[in-house]
Amino acid sequence: MSSVQMLPYEWTSTMRPLQDQCTPSSYEALDAMVLHDTGKSIEELFVEFDPNPIGVASLAQVHIGRDRETGKKVAIKLQHPHLEEFAEIDMATATWCLAWIKRLFPEFEFTWLGEEMRQNLPLELDFRHEAGNAARATADFANHRYTTLYIPKVYRSTKRVMTMEFIEGARVDDLEYLQHLFHADPHPGNLLIRPAQPNSRSPYNFEICLLDHGLYFDIDDELRVNYAHLWLSLIAPPSAQTHADRRKYAQLVGKIDPEMYPVFESAITGRANLKALEEQPDTTSLGFKRAGSLLDALPQSESEIEAIRRAVLQKEGLIEMVFELLRRMPRRVLMILKLNDLTR
């Protein structure tokens, strides 16, 4: 239910450009910001600088250049000037709107969204924080002998200007480029796929380059273990023990009671509910096959997607149950589910 495939194509196709095709800031505004933040102009920092960005997201845009100090080809990430002052207005507006929604419709509890926005957006607006996250992620994978993950080097960073290693590659949804390499579907704006480089640690012929490190979260060991057990139960064959385990770990991970479990399972898997017990029928009344576990699930059919959409729109009380589920779950779990949906 959390999957974007449950939303109309008109919505998802309209929002997709926010990943890397927003309206760019002008060169003049960016040059003034760079001079203010670093004490040097763009021309003083870079012997080459392409004024046309290769990607423009909602918070920043990225240009190709050549560093004057090292001579290296680099990617320069520049925050949109004046974004911070507009962000403060956005956070205040969102908090006010959510408070009024709660007052007028008490069953729709979304004030936690404003709280998350106030906590996380300032972190994303500070590129020094992102540089620290990139260094931490690099260290976390430093001792892995084999890994397809590659994290571009950060050469220097201020709060709004970051200079990084330039990576040649393609988005993970560029199927023509990937036809001989790899196919996946996480957030396309934050990942690049490139052929494995000389001395790469990748055991395959490609590397996955993780570009954006603006927002990281720690997960305590108890949640990490229980979340792993939840997924193990979802891939286990149906049985009385599997039935009990799925509900047990949903309660430990997300405070999900038995009544709300079916909604939670659909949200986390993006599928119609799995068979809880072996004796339940394989085929639903809506005409699609119900799997016993995620391992034996067939590719999702149009009839299954349409059945989930109809349930969301028509089943009485379901929307309210979804809102209650979101309100009840710990905030870290909500972020895990967001990541889970982006990488599905």
Side-chain angles (χ1 to χ4, degrees):
M1 201 173 305
S2 61
S3 177
V4 293
Q5 65 187 350
M6 297 299 110
L7 298 174
Y9 172 76
E10 291 79 7
W11 292 16
T12 58
S13 61
T14 300
M15 299 297 285
R16 186 177 183 272
L18 292 178
Q19 294 175 356
D20 59 6
Q21 299 172 39
C22 296
T23 302
S25 297
S26 69
Y27 177 88
E28 293 74 19
L30 293 171
D31 193 33
M33 181 190 72
V34 171
L35 180 61
H36 177 274
D37 285 20
T38 69
K40 294 183 178 181
S41 66
I42 289 177
E43 187 175 344
E44 290 175 298
L45 289 171
F46 306 103
V47 66
E48 296 174 11
F49 183 90
D50 188 342
N52 299 309
I54 57 172
V56 185
S58 55
L59 300 185
Q61 60 193 61
V62 178
H63 295 257
I64 300 174
R66 190 168 299 279
D67 188 64
R68 187 173 292 278
E69 189 175 301
T70 65
K72 292 180 178 179
K73 188 176 184 179
V74 292
I76 306 114
K77 183 175 181 179
L78 302 173
Q79 191 174 121
H80 296 302
H82 310 297
L83 181 66
E84 193 167 10
E85 58 192 80
F86 286 112
E88 184 59 41
I89 296 172
D90 287 345
M91 288 188 288
T93 302
T95 301
W96 183 86
C97 290
L98 292 168
W100 268 101
I101 290 173
K102 180 180 180 180
R103 184 171 180 177
L104 296 172
F105 307 100
E107 66 273 22
F108 298 130
E109 169 55 89
F110 283 110
T111 54
W112 57 270
L113 276 175
E115 296 166 4
E116 285 292 303
M117 190 177 182
R118 281 209 168 272
Q119 178 181 345
N120 298 325
L121 187 54
L123 297 178
E124 294 190 84
L125 294 178
D126 189 341
F127 292 170
R128 296 167 300 186
H129 178 76
E130 179 176 349
N133 284 339
R136 176 180 173 182
T138 300
D140 286 344
F141 284 89
N143 295 323
H144 288 245
R145 183 178 179 185
Y146 299 111
T147 176
T148 58
L149 182 67
Y150 184 80
I151 297 168
K153 299 178 181 66
V154 176
Y155 296 127
R156 59 180 178 267
S157 181
T158 66
K159 187 175 182 180
R160 299 186 294 177
V161 180
M162 180 184 289
T163 305
M164 303 168 289
E165 176 184 6
F166 177 74
I167 299 293
E168 294 273 6
R171 285 169 53 120
V172 294
D173 57 354
D174 185 343
L175 300 186
E176 183 177 354
Y177 179 86
L178 300 178
Q179 61 180 332
H180 300 300
L181 293 173
F182 185 75
H183 174 63
D185 190 29
H187 180 348
N190 287 344
L191 295 174
L192 289 181
I193 304 294
R194 70 173 182 178
Q197 305 296 292
N199 302 318
S200 171
R201 290 184 291 161
S202 174
Y204 306 105
N205 65 338
F206 65 89
E207 292 178 331
I208 304 171
C209 303
L210 184 58
L211 303 181
D212 195 317
H213 307 270
L215 198 58
Y216 275 32
F217 292 97
D218 289 309
I219 304 174
D220 64 65
D221 289 341
E222 182 179 9
L223 175 56
R224 193 189 308 269
V225 170
N226 287 332
Y227 187 65
H229 278 296
L230 173 63
W231 278 98
L232 288 173
S233 70
L234 290 169
I235 65 176
S239 68
Q241 184 61 52
T242 298
H243 176 82
D245 285 347
R246 289 173 182 172
R247 283 151 180 78
K248 170 186 174 182
Y249 290 110
Q251 170 64 36
L252 291 173
V253 167
K255 301 179 181 178
I256 306 302
D257 59 32
E259 180 185 5
M260 300 189 71
Y261 176 79
V263 177
F264 175 74
E265 184 185 277
S266 286
I268 196 173
T269 63
R271 305 297 298 263
N273 291 136
L274 303 171
K275 286 199 307 182
L277 301 170
E278 183 59 43
E279 56 268 22
Q280 289 181 311
D282 288 339
T283 305
T284 70
S285 59
L286 297 171
F288 60 86
K289 182 177 174 61
R290 187 193 303 275
S293 79
L294 290 179
L295 282 186
D296 61 20
L298 296 173
Q300 196 166 36
S301 65
E302 284 297 324
S303 59
E304 181 182 356
I305 294 174
E306 185 58 32
I308 297 175
R309 285 176 178 157
R310 285 204 304 270
V312 171
L313 294 173
Q314 299 174 7
K315 188 172 181 180
E316 186 176 353
L318 183 58
I319 291 294
E320 287 83 355
M321 189 175 290
V322 171
F323 291 152
E324 174 61 20
L325 183 147
L326 294 173
R327 185 194 65 80
R328 184 180 301 186
M329 280 195 292
R331 299 292 167 256
R332 283 292 178 268
V333 176
L334 286 175
M335 296 307 297
I336 292 173
L337 296 187
K338 173 188 173 185
L339 174 64
N340 172 72
D341 186 51
L342 289 173
T343 55
R344 193 187 326 276

